[in-house]
């Protein structure tokens, strides 16, 4: 399947640019991944090496397939040019009842929260995924306590069926984040 060049150069919303990663993104990305509040619903914060490896893998995925977890840059306003985090797609690599699947995911710096950036960027990514890549369905999931991400999923029009909720297999029994909710979005085509 041919992916339009637009994905390789980036997607644009009213206020944001979803683009390929740059070397200068590594430092603010590490700061984001080292922030305990940003990483509250993940098992742990990331080391510099883990953070850099995540960014490098995201960059390689975009180069290879034309889509992935794009870096998010503020394009307008007083924060223009600032790296805010990532939004985009990945293919999860664990065993669950809904696999195989394409996931839409996001992680944004705390300074950018409450401004609608996650919803705005994810809406553009979903449109691109359904219209240009040809995804039939995209999922999103998070730990039960992560109500902020669940609110984004609902704003995106994703649907939740409690029967789809699952225990994340990479987290041990009894872990506070093991239980996950699953949301789905389907192509209108």
């Amino acid at each position: 399947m041919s992916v339009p060049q637009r994905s390789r150069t980036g997607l644009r919303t009213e206020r944001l640019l979803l683009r390929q990663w740059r070397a200068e993104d590594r430092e603010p990305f590490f700061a984001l991944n080292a922030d305990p509040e940003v990483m509250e619903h993940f098992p742990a914060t990331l080391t510099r090496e883990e953070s850099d490896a995540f960014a490098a893998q995201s960059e390689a995925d975009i180069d290879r397939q034309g889509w992935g977890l794009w870096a998010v840059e503020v394009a307008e306003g007083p924060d223009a040019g600032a790296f805010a985090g990532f939004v985009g797609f990945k293919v999860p690599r664990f065993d669950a009842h809904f696999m195989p699947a394409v996931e839409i995911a996001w992680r944004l710096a705390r300074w950018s929260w409450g401004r609608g950036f996650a919803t705005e960027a994810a809406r553009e990514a979903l449109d691109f995924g359904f219209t240009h890549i040809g995804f039939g369905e995209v999922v999103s999931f998070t730990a039960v306590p992560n109500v902020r991400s669940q609110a984004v999923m609902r704003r995106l029009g994703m649907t939740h069926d409690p029967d789809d909720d699952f225990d994340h297999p990479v987290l041990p029994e009894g872990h506070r984040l093991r239980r996950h909710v699953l949301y789905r979005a389907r192509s209108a085509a």
Side-chain angles (χ1 to χ4, degrees):
M1 172 182 320
S2 174
V3 177
Q5 187 62 29
R6 182 177 104 170
S7 67
R8 295 184 192 280
T9 58
L11 306 176
R12 176 71 194 255
T13 72
E14 182 179 333
R15 301 177 297 163
L16 305 170
L17 178 62
L18 284 68
R19 59 163 173 76
Q20 181 58 286
W21 292 74
R22 299 179 186 144
E24 59 266 25
D25 299 331
R26 298 301 199 265
E27 187 62 39
F29 189 51
F30 170 58
L32 175 160
N33 288 320
D35 183 333
E37 196 170 344
V38 171
M39 300 300 286
E40 174 184 8
H41 302 294
F42 292 89
T45 58
L46 300 184
T47 65
R48 178 62 190 252
E49 293 75 23
E50 291 167 331
S51 181
D52 286 353
F54 187 107
Q57 182 62 58
S58 298
E59 184 177 353
D61 288 346
I62 294 167
D63 277 344
R64 185 182 77 256
Q65 60 200 15
W67 55 269
L69 298 172
W70 290 285
V72 174
E73 178 181 321
V74 180
E76 301 290 334
D79 294 314
F83 171 86
F86 71 77
V87 172
F89 304 112
K90 67 178 184 173
V91 176
R93 304 280 183 217
F94 58 83
D95 187 35
H97 70 280
F98 58 90
M99 299 297 275
V102 173
E103 175 192 10
I104 187 163
W106 48 84
R107 186 178 310 157
L108 299 176
R110 195 164 12 121
W111 64 263
S112 72
W113 292 359
R115 298 168 72 177
F117 287 170
T119 303
E120 182 177 326
R123 187 170 283 128
E124 179 69 15
L126 276 174
D127 178 66
F128 184 79
F130 290 139
T131 305
H132 297 288
I133 301 173
F135 296 146
E137 179 181 76
V138 173
V139 301
S140 192
F141 51 85
T142 190
V144 169
N146 191 351
V147 295
R148 288 189 308 265
S149 279
Q150 291 176 56
V152 171
M153 295 171 199
R154 286 190 300 274
R155 283 193 295 273
L156 292 171
M158 300 184 87
T159 59
H160 173 243
D161 179 345
D163 289 339
D164 273 340
D165 294 350
F166 66 102
D167 291 334
H168 202 298
V170 303
L171 297 171
E173 193 74 40
H175 192 284
R176 69 180 182 82
L177 300 175
R178 186 155 196 231
R179 191 69 181 162
H180 273 54
V181 295
L182 178 79
Y183 281 72
R184 297 175 186 265
R186 291 188 172 91
S187 171

